[in-house]
Amino acid sequence: MRTQVAIIGAGPAGLLLSHLLRLAGVESVVLESRSREHCEHRIRAGVLEQGTVDTLNEAGLGARMQREGLVHHGIELLFERKRHRIDLTALTGGRAITVYGQHEVVCDMIAAAVEHQQQLYFDVSEVSLHDLTSDKPWIQFTHDGAVQRIDCDYVAGCDGFHGVARESIPADALQNFERIYPYAWLGILAHAAPTCDELVYAHHERGFALFSMRSPEVTRLYLQCRPDEDLAQWPDERIWAELHARFENDEGWLPAVGDITQKGVTPMRSFVCEPMQYGRLYLAGDAAHIVPPTGAKGMNLAVADVRMLSKALAARYREGRDDLLAAYSATCLERVWRAEHFSYFMTNMLHPSFDDTPFINRLKMAELRYVAHSDAASRMLAENYVGLPFRD
C-alpha cells in the first residue's frame, strides 16, 4: 500500500487530519486498533472552543453539531454559596463555546470519511513504525489476519497517550514533562434534564463539583475524589447527596436527580513531550500532551495540532515548502503550554486540597474571589476558556 501520509489513530485528531488533508488534495490512510463501534461510543468530554467549532464548520463537518450542539455564552463559578457568572461572549468580543460530545464529533467524521471513501482501517494490531528518519518511512500492521505494509512520505501519530507512535521515538530524543494531581474526578451520566443553561464549577470545602450536560435530556456531573476511589463505595444515593451538598447555594438551585447510566473515575494529569516531531513522524493530540479536564482543553488542543499539521503538509505538497513542517513542534508547543498553564490554574483554584495547610486553601479562595469580581481577571479566564485565536 502506498500513501502520502499514514495516520495512526482514528480519534478526533486522526480523523480530522485525514479530512483536512483530503480537502487540500493530500492522500492519507488511517489505522485504528479499536473497532468502529468502540470509537463511536467512547464517551469523552465535549466542550468545544470557538476555533474548534469554526474549524469543523469550515471542513464541512459541522452540520449536525450546528443542529444539536448547545451554544453557551457563559459559565458559572459557585463558591461561598454564591453563583458568579462569567460572561464569555461579552468578554471576548462575541466568542462562545459549544457543548457537543466528543463521540458525536467522531461519529460525524467517520460518516464523512465513509461518504468520501477515505481509507480507514479499524481493528488493526501489531502496528510498528520503521525508518522514521529517512525519506521513506513505512508501517507494518495486521488486519483481518494478514500482515500488511504502508509506504508513505510522512507519519502522523494521533493514537493517544498509550499509543505506539510516541513509543517509537528513542527515549533520548524526547524530553517529558509531567505532573500527577493528588485527586481525580468521579463522573456520571444521568437521564435528567439540565437545570441550568451553562456549566457550573463549584468550589466547596467538601471538594470540587462540576455541572455539565450532554443534551436537553442528559446531565453530566463530576465530583472531586481520590485517584484510587472504589466505585463500589459510591451507590447512586451517596452520589446525589454529595452533589447536592457541594452545589448548595443561597438561590436554591440544584441539579435534577435521574437514573445514573454511567460512572467512572478520571485521573488528573498534565503531560507534555518535546519536541512533537521526530524525523518524519509528527505527534498530535494526546500522543504529545495531556491536560486535566478542568480547563476543557484536551480535544481542542488536538484540533489545533492537526489544523497546523494539515497546513504544513499542504504547503509541502503544493509549494514544496518544508519550513512549516520544520516549525510544527515549536508552533504547537506555544499553544500547548498556554493551555497547560490555564488548565493548571483552573484545577488548582477550584479544587480544595486536603493535604495542604489551611493557608493554601485560603489563597485559592482569594483567587476565586478576584476572578469573580475583577473585570481583568474575568477577561483572562474567558479568553482562555473560549480558546485563543489561531495564529494563521
Side-chain angles (χ1 to χ4, degrees):
M1 202 184 307
R2 182 73 174 84
T3 192
Q4 291 174 310
V5 181
I7 301 172
I8 314 297
L15 291 169
L16 179 58
L17 178 59
S18 180
H19 280 285
L20 295 176
L21 291 177
R22 175 181 59 81
L23 293 172
V26 180
E27 298 175 354
S28 69
V29 174
V30 181
L31 304 179
E32 170 57 51
S33 63
R34 305 281 190 166
S35 68
R36 174 176 175 175
E37 181 180 12
H38 175 90
C39 294
E40 291 181 331
H41 294 89
R42 188 184 187 197
I43 304 298
R44 287 292 183 271
V47 175
L48 308 184
E49 295 177 354
Q50 183 69 64
T52 296
V53 171
D54 294 344
T55 299
L56 294 175
N57 285 333
E58 291 164 5
L61 298 166
R64 191 162 71 96
M65 174 185 65
Q66 292 180 49
R67 294 194 306 269
E68 301 178 13
L70 307 175
V71 178
H72 289 192
H73 298 283
I75 62 171
E76 292 192 10
L77 303 178
L78 170 57
F79 60 94
E80 297 179 319
R81 301 183 63 90
K82 303 292 184 184
R83 297 165 64 182
H84 306 268
R85 185 172 186 268
I86 306 296
D87 192 329
L88 301 176
T89 301
L91 291 166
T92 61
R95 296 165 71 82
I97 59 169
T98 297
V99 174
Y100 188 64
Q102 177 173 310
H103 66 289
E104 304 290 6
V105 175
V106 169
C107 286
D108 295 343
M109 291 181 182
I110 291 176
V114 172
E115 178 186 352
H116 294 285
Q117 298 182 328
Q118 294 170 238
Q119 296 191 72
L120 180 55
Y121 292 82
F122 291 101
D123 296 305
V124 305
S125 61
E126 301 176 309
V127 178
S128 58
L129 282 57
H130 304 272
D131 296 341
L132 295 173
T133 56
S134 76
D135 61 356
K136 296 180 179 179
W138 57 281
I139 299 173
Q140 183 172 289
F141 65 99
T142 300
H143 184 251
D144 288 341
V147 176
Q148 300 193 44
R149 170 173 169 154
I150 297 178
D151 292 283
C152 56
D153 299 326
Y154 300 96
V155 180
C158 307
D159 52 345
F161 183 78
H162 299 288
V164 68
R166 193 178 71 252
E167 293 178 356
S168 300
I169 301 174
D172 60 1
L174 288 179
Q175 188 173 10
N176 296 327
F177 303 88
E178 187 171 28
R179 174 182 172 83
I180 305 297
Y181 293 86
Y183 32 75
W185 282 5
L186 192 166
I188 67 165
L189 277 177
H191 275 299
T195 54
C196 183
D197 293 334
E198 298 173 338
L199 277 67
V200 180
Y201 290 81
H203 177 110
H204 192 274
E205 62 183 10
R206 298 174 66 94
F208 166 80
L210 171 62
F211 170 88
S212 182
M213 64 286 294
R214 285 294 171 268
S215 73
E217 296 81 30
V218 177
T219 304
R220 181 70 157 162
L221 300 130
Y222 297 94
L223 289 167
Q224 178 182 345
C225 65
R226 300 190 315 272
D228 60 348
E229 201 71 61
D230 181 6
L231 283 177
Q233 301 301 313
W234 285 89
D236 294 3
E237 295 78 10
R238 181 187 177 191
I239 290 174
W240 287 117
E242 192 64 29
L243 284 167
H244 285 179
R246 297 188 193 187
F247 282 120
E248 64 180 357
N249 61 92
D250 292 340
E251 299 175 22
W253 169 83
L254 286 174
V257 175
D259 292 334
I260 296 177
T261 59
Q262 184 186 88
K263 299 179 188 177
V265 174
T266 302
M268 309 283 277
R269 171 196 284 124
S270 295
F271 172 83
V272 180
C273 78
E274 294 187 6
M276 290 171 55
Q277 58 193 91
Y278 173 75
R280 295 220 169 180
L281 168 63
Y282 297 84
L283 302 178
D286 287 358
H289 41 73
I290 298 288
V291 289
T294 327
K297 291 289 168 250
M299 183 169 64
N300 295 296
L301 276 181
V303 169
D305 289 346
V306 299
R307 178 187 171 98
M308 171 60 191
L309 184 54
S310 67
K311 291 179 180 295
L313 288 166
R316 171 66 184 84
Y317 286 108
R318 286 177 175 175
E319 306 167 40
R321 294 174 52 189
D322 291 322
D323 57 319
L324 295 183
L325 282 172
Y328 169 74
S329 179
T331 304
C332 289
L333 284 170
E334 182 177 349
R335 189 181 191 91
V336 166
W337 279 112
R338 174 85 290 278
E340 289 283 359
H341 180 266
F342 178 68
S343 299
Y344 167 81
F345 156 75
M346 290 284 285
T347 302
N348 185 64
M349 177 177 67
L350 288 163
H351 291 74
S353 175
F354 304 114
D355 299 324
D356 281 326
T357 64
F359 179 84
I360 297 298
N361 285 319
R362 290 296 183 108
L363 290 179
K364 295 182 179 185
M365 190 58 65
E367 190 162 36
L368 264 172
R369 296 188 190 109
Y370 180 61
V371 168
H373 299 296
S374 162
D375 288 343
S378 295
R379 188 179 306 279
M380 180 279 296
L381 188 153
E383 287 178 348
N384 284 272
Y385 199 89
V386 302
L388 300 175
F390 296 118
R391 293 173 56 187
D392 291 341

